[in-house]
Amino acid sequence: MTRNRMRAGSGWLFAAGALVLLGLWRGEHLDVFTKAITLCLECLGLR
Amino acid sequence: MRRRSRRPLVQWLAAIGANAYIPGWILGQIYRGPLKMGCVPILNCYSCPGALFACPVGAAQNAAARGTLPFYAVGVVAAAGALAGRLPCGWLCPFGLFQDLIHRLRGRRRAMALPRSLGWVKFAVLALLLPAAAIPTGAADMGYERFCTYLCPSGTLMASVPLLAVDPTLRTLAGPLLGWRFALLFLVIGTGIFLYYRPFCRVLCPLGAGLGLGNRPSLWAVGHDPRRRTDCGACRAACPVALDPTAGGTDTAECIRCLRCAEACLPKSLRFGLRNRIEGGDAG
């Protein structure tokens, strides 16, 4: 069972890494940046 | 002799490190440097004046609101979950630290057991997070971050309070929504002191739910060595969320990986580490 979970965890990590790379390739980090440097009125509860 | 836990120190260092933009705290402005491109798997509002990084929950919702899929933010959370499950909840999350601090006001009285059905609510929040953000609203024809707007007490504590305190212009925008958010924050504080340990993490947090999905297969995990097991019950007594670590409790999504069980285990049967090492190859 431990070996199966290690395989599942490794596969999960590989898939997650692929998602991160795909997101970076699509430039999502720039969208995150644009959002994160703007004062978020939703986060403040003002909108 | 039992060693003093390093967890509070790590929690404080993580909370301070993630919110180390000093000018923001003084001037009431948010950090606008390149670190904000990075999502970190903790519930730390990116509108907090000290925040250096982006919140994956907010970033994912923002992508959904614009009609795109948030591969990057989801990938960051999934990677953290695959590595160590909810370890960031137990050791790194600033809002988790806040709940730990308010829970100390209980003194030595033991917290009540949370009804199991409430634990499922956070998965419903997780499932609805992106669809809810994607629903268009008004003339803008875009969605918005509905979890941040209505349900995130971390944003109220870390962003609303410090920014509204120093910016009179923002205070003029305050309305009934802010009242609801403060009511929710006080509900979390009240239940955290009088009823349950970490009520928000266990009932509402979509990030905790996402990381918790990784608890079962995570590469680093809490495992026990059956040869050293004594059934003394110290781990069960130490667990703040009332799980049984010797019966797979640490692999459920309810475990926040605070590792108190491993610290309480005097024969060192329970340990946190790379799963195949602590569980001994195929023996688990």
Side-chain angles (χ1 to χ4, degrees):
Chain A
M1 196 160 77
T2 301
R3 193 176 295 168
N4 288 343
R5 287 197 189 175
M6 287 297 290
R7 281 187 190 144
S10 304
W12 189 307
L13 183 61
F14 181 79
L19 283 179
V20 171
L21 291 177
L22 177 61
L24 292 174
W25 178 71
R26 282 164 36 110
E28 287 178 21
H29 57 298
L30 301 175
D31 296 332
V32 168
F33 179 68
T34 306
K35 173 65 185 173
I37 61 166
T38 312
L39 197 60
C40 169
L41 294 181
E42 291 87 356
C43 306
L44 295 176
L46 300 178
R47 188 161 75 185
Chain B
M1 199 173 74
R2 192 175 298 172
R3 252 183 15 187
R4 196 184 168 91
S5 173
R6 283 173 292 185
R7 191 167 77 102
L9 175 65
V10 174
Q11 285 179 295
W12 275 108
L13 288 177
I16 293 168
N19 296 286
Y21 183 60
I22 307 295
W25 291 109
I26 298 167
L27 303 172
Q29 296 169 350
I30 60 171
Y31 169 68
R32 292 186 164 88
L35 291 176
K36 274 269 173 89
M37 287 183 208
C39 282
V40 286
I42 53 176
L43 202 70
N44 195 71
C45 184
Y46 42 36
S47 283
C48 167
L52 293 177
F53 304 100
C55 168
V57 177
Q61 288 177 95
N62 181 252
R66 288 181 290 103
T68 63
L69 289 171
F71 294 113
Y72 172 53
V74 170
V76 167
V77 177
L83 284 171
R86 290 189 77 172
L87 192 74
C89 301
W91 287 69
L92 302 178
C93 181
F95 198 66
L97 169 64
F98 172 72
Q99 289 176 91
D100 282 357
L101 293 175
I102 59 172
H103 194 72
R104 283 193 188 170
L105 298 175
R106 276 184 74 84
R108 290 189 173 274
R109 285 173 299 145
R110 196 164 170 78
M112 289 171 62
L114 187 79
R116 185 165 290 206
S117 54
L118 286 180
W120 289 101
V121 175
K122 61 180 173 293
F123 291 104
V125 174
L126 176 66
L128 293 172
L129 188 72
L130 301 184
I135 297 170
T137 176
D141 201 28
M142 267 180 64
Y144 64 99
E145 297 83 350
R146 286 183 165 86
F147 172 79
C148 299
T149 306
Y150 298 109
L151 288 180
C152 184
S154 174
T156 310
L157 180 73
M158 304 284 288
S160 305
V161 170
L163 287 177
L164 291 172
V166 297
D167 193 334
T169 315
L170 287 177
R171 282 201 293 274
T172 62
L173 300 173
L177 176 60
L178 198 65
W180 155 253
R181 289 168 57 101
F182 273 104
L184 184 66
L185 178 62
F186 287 124
L187 184 69
V188 169
I189 293 172
T191 50
I193 296 172
F194 296 109
L195 296 174
Y196 308 117
Y197 175 71
R198 289 216 185 185
F200 177 76
C201 306
R202 296 163 71 193
V203 178
L204 281 179
C205 185
L207 183 58
L211 291 169
L213 293 174
N215 266 4
R216 191 169 293 276
S218 67
L219 298 178
W220 272 264
V222 179
H224 72 272
D225 182 348
R227 291 166 300 181
R228 294 188 181 189
R229 187 171 168 176
T230 59
D231 272 329
C232 63
C235 54
R236 285 189 292 276
C239 180
V241 295
L243 298 171
D244 183 354
T246 61
T250 55
D251 284 340
T252 69
E254 300 310 306
C255 174
I256 59 164
R257 296 264 162 99
C258 64
L259 309 185
R260 280 196 206 169
C261 54
E263 288 166 355
C265 184
L266 291 179
K268 294 291 169 206
S269 165
L270 278 170
R271 283 181 301 148
F272 177 75
L274 199 58
R275 193 182 286 275
N276 61 354
R277 295 220 177 130
I278 55 171
E279 291 182 356
D282 214 11

